Amino acid sequence: MSSRSKRESRGSTRGRRESESRSSSARVKRERDREREPEAPSSRGSPVHVKREVEPASAREAPTPVVPTVRVKREREADEDSEPEREVRAKNGRVDSEDRRSRHCPYLDTINRSVLDFDFEKLCSISLSHINAYACLVCGKYFQGRGLKSHAYIHSVQFSHHVFLNLHTLKFYCLPDNYEIIDSSLEDITYVLKPTFTKQQIANLDKQAKLSRAYDGTTYLPGIVGLNNIKANDYANAVLQALSNVPPLRNYFLEEDNYKNIKRPPGDIMFLLVQRFGELMRKLWNPRNFKAHVSPHEMLQAVVLCSKKTFQITKQGDGVDFLSWFLNALHSALGGTKKKKKTIVTDVFQGSMRIFTKKLPHPDLPAEEKEQLLHNDEYQETMVESTFMYLTLDLPTAPLYKDEKEQLIIPQVPLFNILAKFNGITEKEYKTYKENFLKRFQLTKLPPYLIFCIKRFTKNNFFVEKNPTIVNFPITGQANGMNYRTSR
């Protein structure tokens, strides 16, 4: 075919396309005009005659792809109008999917409550950081963070442990998907981590003695549970358990609102002792524990820190020294002072007494010189008002020889006999390196709860000796022949 014929065929094809496009545009214009024209009113009973325009042959023969074009354009306009609605719907759909996933987590059955232990310090087992710590509810270990490069995220991917608990916000998360889990069946875990008590529950603690059942099936009585001996902290455990069963002190620390708003100077670490003691008190009285014993790890760490390592976990200490330091430290951390400002500690345990002191002359002096010295003001009896948190009782010396039946029996003494030290009459000599004093004590005010410390151990040049004398505590009745000059 020649080039001229090719150009003619191309021109005819182009002309045909142009005529088709003109006819289609004319048809679209007529349809739009017909839609815009109002319908002509017709007379009653007369038919409406519509004049039909005759279309050219080229328009009748041309294909009609115009209607889909108009329809697509209208749909596009409608889509543009409804785009905000679509965004809202998509947004709602996204939120609904997250809520649906949060409330139907498929990994809740992997939680192992038997390995959960929240008594230890809340720090990451890898980085040893307290910041943003999470507990893996499958293996019980602590990890930091939940981001892509955090220790908790890596642990979840490596071991397929998916359920984690934020130890500070008490929220549950699923990793590595990183969405919050909302499920009411996890409330028992948050309650073990942070037990709370209402005023009504605190008031009913002493009215009902109901046994509770731990997760492993063992039964226990709230408040009467064991404290773990980590290494050599049994002396502190005995004091903490005794204090946890004093009702006014217990009720005060069971409710955190009683002390959480106390203002302390910046950098003061002593208030940590108050917080840890309150947490330990709530764990001891928790009726929904997973186990029938409590580890005082965080409490003892606060003791080591606040006492500047005077009392340690790995070294035995004296229970009386620990009790004296702990009560005074609690009183100071709660904002109390020596004389003016009182706290729950002084309201429960503090009493008062008069101490009468008289200096004695040296025993090697002649009798005449002793009589002359006794008339001096220095050797006259003086009286001092003093407060106390506990009373130290002295035991009589244990017998060295066997009795008439050739048996070395264990001696016994009634409590009131050793309490005679504080009747204001009995005198006792106290020796120092240079001087000797004669003292007697008279109680003037008894506290609601009186603490006795019976001194059993005496130290000599060779070893520490324990006095095995048994002290009989009366359950009912009163003392005979005791003359206490006391006033409440």
Side-chain angles (χ1 to χ4, degrees):
M1 186 182 291
S2 63
S3 61
R4 184 176 180 180
S5 61
K6 289 182 180 180
R7 284 196 298 270
E8 289 177 356
S9 62
R10 289 177 184 174
S12 61
T13 306
R14 188 181 303 146
R16 193 183 307 112
R17 291 178 181 175
E18 291 178 356
S19 62
E20 289 177 358
S21 63
R22 282 196 299 270
S23 62
S24 61
S25 61
R27 184 172 182 178
V28 169
K29 185 176 181 181
R30 286 195 300 271
E31 287 181 358
R32 288 183 179 177
D33 294 341
R34 191 180 300 125
E35 290 177 356
R36 292 176 182 174
E37 289 180 358
E39 186 178 356
S42 59
S43 59
R44 182 180 301 176
S46 60
V48 179
H49 299 279
V50 180
K51 184 178 179 181
R52 185 174 182 180
E53 298 181 356
V54 179
E55 297 177 358
S58 61
R60 287 196 301 268
E61 294 176 359
T64 58
V66 179
V67 177
T69 306
V70 176
R71 189 178 302 148
V72 169
K73 185 175 181 181
R74 290 178 181 174
E75 289 177 358
R76 189 180 303 158
E77 293 176 354
D79 289 345
E80 290 176 358
D81 295 338
S82 62
E83 190 170 351
E85 296 179 3
R86 183 182 301 168
E87 290 179 0
V88 173
R89 193 180 305 112
K91 185 177 180 180
N92 292 338
R94 186 162 56 249
V95 172
D96 294 344
S97 64
E98 288 181 1
D99 287 347
R100 192 180 306 111
R101 190 171 56 172
S102 297
R103 298 185 181 276
H104 298 85
C105 181
Y107 302 109
L108 294 183
D109 57 343
T110 62
I111 297 176
N112 188 2
R113 286 173 170 81
S114 61
V115 300
L116 299 183
D117 190 357
F118 301 117
D119 295 339
F120 293 94
E121 192 175 5
K122 310 298 187 298
L123 51 82
C124 177
S125 58
I126 298 176
S127 64
L128 302 181
S129 173
H130 296 82
I131 302 173
N132 205 16
Y134 288 79
C136 176
L137 301 186
V138 182
C139 63
K141 296 179 181 179
Y142 297 164
F143 299 96
Q144 185 182 17
R146 69 174 196 273
L148 293 178
K149 296 182 180 180
S150 63
H151 299 296
Y153 185 92
I154 296 173
H155 176 77
S156 67
V157 174
Q158 184 176 3
F159 296 97
S160 297
H161 295 175
H162 301 286
V163 187
F164 289 80
L165 168 63
N166 190 308
L167 298 173
H168 300 285
T169 63
L170 306 184
K171 292 183 178 180
F172 297 87
Y173 294 93
C174 180
L175 296 181
D177 296 338
N178 199 10
Y179 61 85
E180 183 180 355
I181 301 174
I182 303 173
D183 198 290
S184 60
S185 65
L186 304 176
E187 291 180 358
D188 59 334
I189 299 178
T190 58
Y191 193 85
V192 170
L193 175 59
K194 190 175 181 180
T196 55
F197 292 83
T198 62
K199 294 184 181 295
Q200 186 64 30
Q201 290 174 338
I202 295 174
N204 294 332
L205 285 178
D206 296 327
K207 296 180 181 179
Q208 54 184 5
K210 184 179 179 181
L211 289 174
S212 298
R213 186 177 296 276
Y215 184 76
D216 57 356
T218 59
T219 57
Y220 67 95
L221 190 64
I224 314 297
V225 296
L227 287 176
N228 290 347
N229 187 12
I230 299 174
K231 188 171 183 181
N233 56 291
D234 48 351
Y235 70 98
N237 289 356
V239 174
L240 294 174
Q241 278 187 323
L243 295 178
S244 67
N245 284 275
V246 179
L249 190 71
R250 174 202 65 193
N251 297 346
Y252 180 86
F253 281 97
L254 284 180
E255 194 171 357
E256 191 177 2
D257 295 337
N258 292 330
Y259 58 85
K260 71 177 183 180
N261 295 324
I262 295 177
K263 295 182 180 179
R264 298 296 300 167
D268 183 29
I269 62 172
M270 295 303 293
F271 193 71
L272 181 65
L273 200 68
V274 178
Q275 294 176 330
R276 294 291 181 258
F277 186 62
E279 293 173 2
L280 178 64
M281 193 76 73
R282 288 188 288 273
K283 289 178 180 178
L284 287 173
W285 287 91
N286 183 9
R288 295 158 59 182
N289 270 330
F290 286 166
K291 53 188 183 304
H293 56 86
V294 176
S295 177
H297 190 270
E298 288 185 297
M299 176 71 220
L300 295 176
Q301 280 194 326
V303 168
V304 174
L305 180 64
C306 296
S307 67
K308 298 180 181 178
K309 297 185 179 180
T310 303
F311 303 100
Q312 299 184 16
I313 303 175
T314 59
K315 186 179 179 181
Q316 281 288 346
D318 185 67
V320 179
D321 295 341
F322 174 72
L323 173 67
S324 177
W325 172 85
F326 186 70
L327 292 180
N328 286 283
L330 272 185
H331 173 67
S332 176
L334 290 171
T337 57
K338 289 185 178 181
K339 293 183 178 180
K340 294 184 178 180
K341 195 171 182 180
K342 295 186 176 182
T343 60
I344 184 65
V345 179
T346 55
D347 292 340
V348 175
F349 297 114
Q350 190 178 73
S352 60
M353 67 168 68
R354 295 192 184 107
I355 303 176
F356 299 90
T357 307
K358 184 169 60 174
K359 186 178 179 180
L360 297 177
H362 197 277
D364 296 338
L365 294 176
E368 295 180 356
E369 190 174 352
K370 287 182 181 180
E371 291 180 1
Q372 291 178 0
L373 291 175
L374 290 176
H375 293 289
N376 296 342
D377 293 339
E378 184 183 358
Y379 291 88
Q380 299 300 315
E381 190 176 58
T382 59
M383 188 269 292
V384 178
E385 291 279 350
S386 179
T387 59
F388 65 90
M389 290 287 189
Y390 60 92
L391 298 177
T392 303
L393 304 180
D394 301 320
L395 291 175
T397 57
L400 298 177
Y401 304 101
K402 297 181 180 180
D403 60 352
E404 59 274 6
K405 296 182 179 180
E406 297 296 329
Q407 294 178 354
L408 186 62
I409 62 172
I410 299 177
Q412 300 184 20
V413 60
L415 175 64
F416 299 107
N417 290 3
I418 57 178
L419 275 175
K421 172 183 176 181
F422 299 99
N423 62 4
I425 302 173
T426 305
E427 295 180 336
K428 185 178 180 181
E429 185 177 353
Y430 291 85
K431 297 180 180 180
T432 61
Y433 180 71
K434 292 182 178 181
E435 299 173 338
N436 297 339
F437 294 93
L438 199 64
K439 291 186 178 182
R440 58 189 178 92
F441 306 92
Q442 180 184 358
L443 299 179
T444 57
K445 180 184 177 182
L446 289 176
Y449 290 84
L450 189 59
I451 301 177
F452 295 144
C453 296
I454 301 174
K455 192 174 180 180
R456 292 187 176 274
F457 295 92
T458 55
K459 188 176 181 180
N460 53 31
N461 296 331
F462 303 100
F463 56 89
V464 177
E465 185 179 3
K466 180 181 178 181
N467 192 332
T469 302
I470 297 174
V471 180
N472 295 323
F473 288 80
I475 304 300
T476 58
Q478 297 179 353
N480 298 323
M482 299 296 293
N483 183 17
Y484 282 102
R485 300 172 186 174
T486 61
S487 60
R488 294 298 298 270

Short mmCIF file of all heavy atoms in Angstrom, two decimals, residues 443-485:
data_model
loop_
_atom_site.label_atom_id
_atom_site.label_comp_id
_atom_site.label_asym_id
_atom_site.label_seq_id
_atom_site.Cartn_x
_atom_site.Cartn_y
_atom_site.Cartn_z
N LEU A 443 6.78 4.36 136.88
CA LEU A 443 5.97 4.60 135.68
C LEU A 443 4.90 5.65 135.98
O LEU A 443 4.22 5.58 137.01
CB LEU A 443 5.30 3.31 135.22
CG LEU A 443 6.24 2.16 134.82
CD1 LEU A 443 5.44 0.93 134.43
CD2 LEU A 443 7.16 2.57 133.70
N THR A 444 4.75 6.61 135.10
CA THR A 444 3.74 7.66 135.26
C THR A 444 2.63 7.57 134.22
O THR A 444 1.54 8.07 134.45
CB THR A 444 4.40 9.04 135.19
OG1 THR A 444 5.08 9.16 133.94
CG2 THR A 444 5.38 9.23 136.34
N LYS A 445 2.92 6.98 133.08
CA LYS A 445 1.90 6.85 132.03
C LYS A 445 2.18 5.58 131.23
O LYS A 445 3.29 5.40 130.72
CB LYS A 445 1.90 8.08 131.10
CG LYS A 445 0.86 7.99 129.99
CD LYS A 445 0.97 9.17 129.05
CE LYS A 445 -0.03 9.05 127.91
NZ LYS A 445 0.10 10.17 126.96
N LEU A 446 1.19 4.75 131.13
CA LEU A 446 1.32 3.52 130.34
C LEU A 446 0.75 3.72 128.95
O LEU A 446 -0.31 4.35 128.79
CB LEU A 446 0.60 2.36 131.03
CG LEU A 446 1.23 1.82 132.31
CD1 LEU A 446 0.34 0.74 132.91
CD2 LEU A 446 2.61 1.27 132.04
N PRO A 447 1.39 3.21 127.92
CA PRO A 447 0.85 3.31 126.56
C PRO A 447 -0.26 2.29 126.35
O PRO A 447 -0.42 1.35 127.15
CB PRO A 447 2.06 3.01 125.68
CG PRO A 447 2.89 2.11 126.52
CD PRO A 447 2.71 2.56 127.95
N PRO A 448 -1.05 2.43 125.28
CA PRO A 448 -2.08 1.41 125.00
C PRO A 448 -1.49 0.02 124.79
O PRO A 448 -2.12 -0.98 125.15
CB PRO A 448 -2.76 1.94 123.73
CG PRO A 448 -2.49 3.40 123.73
CD PRO A 448 -1.15 3.57 124.36
N TYR A 449 -0.31 -0.06 124.23
CA TYR A 449 0.35 -1.35 124.00
C TYR A 449 1.75 -1.27 124.56
O TYR A 449 2.56 -0.43 124.14
CB TYR A 449 0.38 -1.68 122.50
CG TYR A 449 -0.99 -2.00 121.95
CD1 TYR A 449 -1.84 -0.98 121.54
CD2 TYR A 449 -1.44 -3.32 121.87
CE1 TYR A 449 -3.10 -1.26 121.06
CE2 TYR A 449 -2.70 -3.61 121.38
CZ TYR A 449 -3.53 -2.58 120.99
OH TYR A 449 -4.78 -2.87 120.51
N LEU A 450 2.02 -2.14 125.53
CA LEU A 450 3.29 -2.12 126.25
C LEU A 450 4.19 -3.23 125.72
O LEU A 450 3.78 -4.39 125.64
CB LEU A 450 3.03 -2.32 127.75
CG LEU A 450 4.20 -2.12 128.71
CD1 LEU A 450 4.75 -0.72 128.59
CD2 LEU A 450 3.75 -2.41 130.13
N ILE A 451 5.42 -2.87 125.38
CA ILE A 451 6.39 -3.83 124.84
C ILE A 451 7.39 -4.16 125.94
O ILE A 451 8.01 -3.27 126.52
CB ILE A 451 7.12 -3.25 123.62
CG1 ILE A 451 6.13 -2.89 122.52
CG2 ILE A 451 8.15 -4.24 123.09
CD1 ILE A 451 6.76 -2.25 121.30
N PHE A 452 7.55 -5.46 126.21
CA PHE A 452 8.55 -5.94 127.17
C PHE A 452 9.71 -6.57 126.40
O PHE A 452 9.49 -7.39 125.49
CB PHE A 452 7.96 -6.99 128.11
CG PHE A 452 6.89 -6.46 129.02
CD1 PHE A 452 5.80 -7.24 129.36
CD2 PHE A 452 6.98 -5.18 129.55
CE1 PHE A 452 4.81 -6.75 130.21
CE2 PHE A 452 6.01 -4.70 130.38
CZ PHE A 452 4.92 -5.47 130.72
N CYS A 453 10.91 -6.20 126.77
CA CYS A 453 12.11 -6.83 126.22
C CYS A 453 12.84 -7.51 127.38
O CYS A 453 13.41 -6.83 128.24
CB CYS A 453 13.00 -5.79 125.54
SG CYS A 453 12.25 -5.03 124.11
N ILE A 454 12.79 -8.82 127.40
CA ILE A 454 13.42 -9.58 128.48
C ILE A 454 14.87 -9.86 128.11
O ILE A 454 15.16 -10.47 127.08
CB ILE A 454 12.66 -10.90 128.73
CG1 ILE A 454 11.21 -10.59 129.09
CG2 ILE A 454 13.32 -11.71 129.83
CD1 ILE A 454 10.33 -11.81 129.21
N LYS A 455 15.75 -9.38 128.93
CA LYS A 455 17.19 -9.48 128.64
C LYS A 455 17.69 -10.85 129.06
O LYS A 455 17.85 -11.14 130.25
CB LYS A 455 17.93 -8.36 129.39
CG LYS A 455 19.36 -8.19 128.95
CD LYS A 455 19.99 -6.98 129.63
CE LYS A 455 21.43 -6.80 129.20
NZ LYS A 455 22.06 -5.64 129.86
N ARG A 456 17.98 -11.69 128.08
CA ARG A 456 18.43 -13.06 128.34
C ARG A 456 19.91 -13.26 128.12
O ARG A 456 20.49 -14.21 128.64
CB ARG A 456 17.67 -14.05 127.46
CG ARG A 456 16.19 -14.19 127.80
CD ARG A 456 15.55 -15.30 127.01
NE ARG A 456 14.17 -15.50 127.41
CZ ARG A 456 13.79 -16.28 128.42
NH1 ARG A 456 14.71 -16.93 129.13
NH2 ARG A 456 12.52 -16.41 128.73
N PHE A 457 20.54 -12.43 127.35
CA PHE A 457 21.93 -12.67 126.97
C PHE A 457 22.85 -11.73 127.75
O PHE A 457 22.60 -10.53 127.84
CB PHE A 457 22.12 -12.46 125.46
CG PHE A 457 21.37 -13.45 124.62
CD1 PHE A 457 20.09 -13.17 124.17
CD2 PHE A 457 21.93 -14.67 124.29
CE1 PHE A 457 19.40 -14.07 123.39
CE2 PHE A 457 21.25 -15.58 123.51
CZ PHE A 457 19.98 -15.29 123.07
N THR A 458 23.89 -12.30 128.31
CA THR A 458 24.93 -11.53 128.98
C THR A 458 26.27 -11.88 128.36
O THR A 458 26.55 -13.05 128.05
CB THR A 458 24.95 -11.84 130.49
OG1 THR A 458 25.10 -13.26 130.67
CG2 THR A 458 23.68 -11.35 131.16
N LYS A 459 27.08 -10.87 128.17
CA LYS A 459 28.37 -11.05 127.50
C LYS A 459 29.50 -10.87 128.50
O LYS A 459 29.54 -9.89 129.25
CB LYS A 459 28.50 -10.04 126.36
CG LYS A 459 29.72 -10.26 125.48
CD LYS A 459 29.72 -9.28 124.32
CE LYS A 459 30.92 -9.51 123.42
NZ LYS A 459 30.94 -8.57 122.27
N ASN A 460 30.41 -11.82 128.55
CA ASN A 460 31.59 -11.72 129.40
C ASN A 460 32.84 -11.72 128.52
O ASN A 460 32.76 -11.53 127.31
CB ASN A 460 31.62 -12.85 130.43
CG ASN A 460 31.47 -14.22 129.79
OD1 ASN A 460 31.88 -14.42 128.65
ND2 ASN A 460 30.87 -15.16 130.51
N ASN A 461 33.96 -11.96 129.13
CA ASN A 461 35.21 -11.90 128.39
C ASN A 461 35.42 -13.07 127.43
O ASN A 461 36.31 -13.00 126.57
CB ASN A 461 36.40 -11.84 129.36
CG ASN A 461 36.39 -10.57 130.19
OD1 ASN A 461 35.90 -9.54 129.73
ND2 ASN A 461 36.93 -10.64 131.40
N PHE A 462 34.63 -14.11 127.59
CA PHE A 462 34.88 -15.32 126.81
C PHE A 462 33.78 -15.62 125.79
O PHE A 462 34.06 -15.96 124.65
CB PHE A 462 35.07 -16.52 127.75
CG PHE A 462 36.18 -16.33 128.75
CD1 PHE A 462 35.90 -15.95 130.05
CD2 PHE A 462 37.50 -16.51 128.37
CE1 PHE A 462 36.91 -15.78 130.97
CE2 PHE A 462 38.52 -16.33 129.29
CZ PHE A 462 38.23 -15.96 130.60
N PHE A 463 32.54 -15.51 126.19
CA PHE A 463 31.45 -15.87 125.28
C PHE A 463 30.18 -15.16 125.73
O PHE A 463 30.14 -14.50 126.77
CB PHE A 463 31.24 -17.39 125.24
CG PHE A 463 31.00 -18.00 126.60
CD1 PHE A 463 29.72 -18.11 127.12
CD2 PHE A 463 32.08 -18.47 127.36
CE1 PHE A 463 29.51 -18.67 128.36
CE2 PHE A 463 31.86 -19.03 128.61
CZ PHE A 463 30.58 -19.14 129.12
N VAL A 464 29.12 -15.35 124.95
CA VAL A 464 27.80 -14.80 125.27
C VAL A 464 26.96 -15.91 125.89
O VAL A 464 26.80 -16.98 125.30
CB VAL A 464 27.11 -14.24 124.01
CG1 VAL A 464 25.71 -13.73 124.35
CG2 VAL A 464 27.94 -13.13 123.39
N GLU A 465 26.43 -15.64 127.08
CA GLU A 465 25.68 -16.65 127.82
C GLU A 465 24.20 -16.30 127.82
O GLU A 465 23.82 -15.14 127.98
CB GLU A 465 26.19 -16.71 129.26
CG GLU A 465 25.56 -17.82 130.08
CD GLU A 465 26.11 -17.87 131.49
OE1 GLU A 465 26.94 -17.00 131.83
OE2 GLU A 465 25.70 -18.77 132.25
N LYS A 466 23.39 -17.34 127.64
CA LYS A 466 21.93 -17.16 127.61
C LYS A 466 21.32 -17.67 128.90
O LYS A 466 21.63 -18.77 129.37
CB LYS A 466 21.33 -17.91 126.42
CG LYS A 466 19.81 -17.76 126.32
CD LYS A 466 19.26 -18.54 125.14
CE LYS A 466 17.74 -18.44 125.08
NZ LYS A 466 17.19 -19.21 123.95
N ASN A 467 20.41 -16.86 129.44
CA ASN A 467 19.69 -17.23 130.66
C ASN A 467 18.44 -18.02 130.26
O ASN A 467 17.56 -17.50 129.57
CB ASN A 467 19.30 -15.98 131.43
CG ASN A 467 18.81 -16.29 132.84
OD1 ASN A 467 18.26 -17.36 133.09
ND2 ASN A 467 18.99 -15.35 133.75
N PRO A 468 18.30 -19.28 130.67
CA PRO A 468 17.15 -20.09 130.23
C PRO A 468 15.91 -19.94 131.08
O PRO A 468 14.96 -20.72 130.93
CB PRO A 468 17.70 -21.52 130.32
CG PRO A 468 18.64 -21.47 131.48
CD PRO A 468 19.25 -20.10 131.47
N THR A 469 15.87 -18.97 131.98
CA THR A 469 14.74 -18.84 132.91
C THR A 469 13.44 -18.62 132.14
O THR A 469 13.37 -17.79 131.22
CB THR A 469 14.97 -17.67 133.87
OG1 THR A 469 16.19 -17.89 134.57
CG2 THR A 469 13.84 -17.55 134.86
N ILE A 470 12.39 -19.34 132.52
CA ILE A 470 11.08 -19.23 131.89
C ILE A 470 10.27 -18.15 132.62
O ILE A 470 10.21 -18.13 133.86
CB ILE A 470 10.33 -20.56 131.93
CG1 ILE A 470 11.11 -21.62 131.13
CG2 ILE A 470 8.92 -20.42 131.38
CD1 ILE A 470 10.51 -23.00 131.23
N VAL A 471 9.65 -17.26 131.86
CA VAL A 471 8.81 -16.20 132.41
C VAL A 471 7.36 -16.61 132.22
O VAL A 471 6.91 -16.86 131.09
CB VAL A 471 9.09 -14.85 131.73
CG1 VAL A 471 8.19 -13.77 132.32
CG2 VAL A 471 10.55 -14.47 131.88
N ASN A 472 6.63 -16.69 133.34
CA ASN A 472 5.22 -17.07 133.30
C ASN A 472 4.35 -15.83 133.09
O ASN A 472 4.38 -14.90 133.90
CB ASN A 472 4.82 -17.77 134.60
CG ASN A 472 5.55 -19.09 134.77
OD1 ASN A 472 5.78 -19.81 133.81
ND2 ASN A 472 5.93 -19.40 136.01
N PHE A 473 3.58 -15.85 132.00
CA PHE A 473 2.69 -14.73 131.71
C PHE A 473 1.29 -15.09 132.20
O PHE A 473 0.72 -16.09 131.77
CB PHE A 473 2.65 -14.46 130.20
CG PHE A 473 3.89 -13.84 129.67
CD1 PHE A 473 5.01 -14.60 129.39
CD2 PHE A 473 3.95 -12.47 129.44
CE1 PHE A 473 6.16 -14.04 128.89
CE2 PHE A 473 5.10 -11.89 128.94
CZ PHE A 473 6.20 -12.66 128.67
N PRO A 474 0.71 -14.28 133.04
CA PRO A 474 -0.66 -14.57 133.50
C PRO A 474 -1.68 -14.23 132.42
O PRO A 474 -1.56 -13.21 131.73
CB PRO A 474 -0.82 -13.66 134.73
CG PRO A 474 0.10 -12.52 134.46
CD PRO A 474 1.26 -13.08 133.70
N ILE A 475 -2.65 -15.11 132.29
CA ILE A 475 -3.71 -14.88 131.30
C ILE A 475 -4.84 -14.08 131.93
O ILE A 475 -5.37 -13.15 131.34
CB ILE A 475 -4.24 -16.21 130.75
CG1 ILE A 475 -3.08 -17.02 130.17
CG2 ILE A 475 -5.28 -15.97 129.68
CD1 ILE A 475 -2.35 -16.32 129.06
N THR A 476 -5.24 -14.43 133.16
CA THR A 476 -6.31 -13.72 133.86
C THR A 476 -5.82 -13.36 135.25
O THR A 476 -4.82 -13.87 135.74
CB THR A 476 -7.58 -14.59 133.97
OG1 THR A 476 -7.24 -15.80 134.67
CG2 THR A 476 -8.13 -14.93 132.58
N GLY A 477 -6.57 -12.48 135.91
CA GLY A 477 -6.24 -12.11 137.29
C GLY A 477 -5.31 -10.92 137.32
O GLY A 477 -4.85 -10.38 136.30
N GLN A 478 -5.00 -10.48 138.55
CA GLN A 478 -4.15 -9.33 138.75
C GLN A 478 -3.00 -9.71 139.66
O GLN A 478 -2.99 -10.75 140.31
CB GLN A 478 -4.97 -8.19 139.38
CG GLN A 478 -6.11 -7.69 138.47
CD GLN A 478 -6.88 -6.59 139.15
OE1 GLN A 478 -6.66 -6.29 140.32
NE2 GLN A 478 -7.81 -6.00 138.42
N ALA A 479 -2.03 -8.83 139.70
CA ALA A 479 -0.86 -9.07 140.54
C ALA A 479 -1.21 -8.85 141.99
O ALA A 479 -1.99 -7.98 142.34
CB ALA A 479 0.26 -8.14 140.12
N ASN A 480 -0.61 -9.67 142.86
CA ASN A 480 -0.81 -9.52 144.29
C ASN A 480 0.41 -8.86 144.91
O ASN A 480 1.54 -9.26 144.68
CB ASN A 480 -1.03 -10.89 144.94
CG ASN A 480 -2.28 -11.58 144.41
OD1 ASN A 480 -3.27 -10.90 144.16
ND2 ASN A 480 -2.23 -12.88 144.24
N GLY A 481 0.14 -7.85 145.74
CA GLY A 481 1.23 -7.22 146.45
C GLY A 481 2.00 -6.20 145.64
O GLY A 481 3.05 -5.73 146.07
N MET A 482 1.51 -5.85 144.41
CA MET A 482 2.19 -4.85 143.59
C MET A 482 1.56 -3.50 143.81
O MET A 482 0.34 -3.35 143.80
CB MET A 482 2.12 -5.23 142.10
CG MET A 482 2.78 -6.55 141.79
SD MET A 482 4.54 -6.53 142.11
CE MET A 482 5.06 -5.38 140.85
N ASN A 483 2.36 -2.52 144.02
CA ASN A 483 1.88 -1.17 144.27
C ASN A 483 2.42 -0.25 143.18
O ASN A 483 3.51 0.30 143.31
CB ASN A 483 2.33 -0.69 145.66
CG ASN A 483 1.77 0.68 145.98
OD1 ASN A 483 0.84 1.13 145.35
ND2 ASN A 483 2.37 1.34 146.97
N TYR A 484 1.64 -0.14 142.07
CA TYR A 484 2.08 0.73 140.98
C TYR A 484 1.44 2.09 141.13
O TYR A 484 0.23 2.22 141.29
CB TYR A 484 1.66 0.12 139.62
CG TYR A 484 2.52 -1.00 139.17
CD1 TYR A 484 2.10 -2.33 139.31
CD2 TYR A 484 3.77 -0.77 138.65
CE1 TYR A 484 2.91 -3.36 138.90
CE2 TYR A 484 4.57 -1.81 138.23
CZ TYR A 484 4.13 -3.10 138.36
OH TYR A 484 4.92 -4.14 137.97
N ARG A 485 2.26 3.11 141.06
CA ARG A 485 1.75 4.48 141.11
C ARG A 485 1.74 4.98 139.65
O ARG A 485 2.64 5.67 139.21
CB ARG A 485 2.68 5.35 141.97
CG ARG A 485 2.78 4.85 143.40
CD ARG A 485 3.85 5.60 144.15
NE ARG A 485 4.06 5.01 145.49
CZ ARG A 485 5.01 5.40 146.33
NH1 ARG A 485 5.85 6.36 145.96
NH2 ARG A 485 5.12 4.85 147.51
#
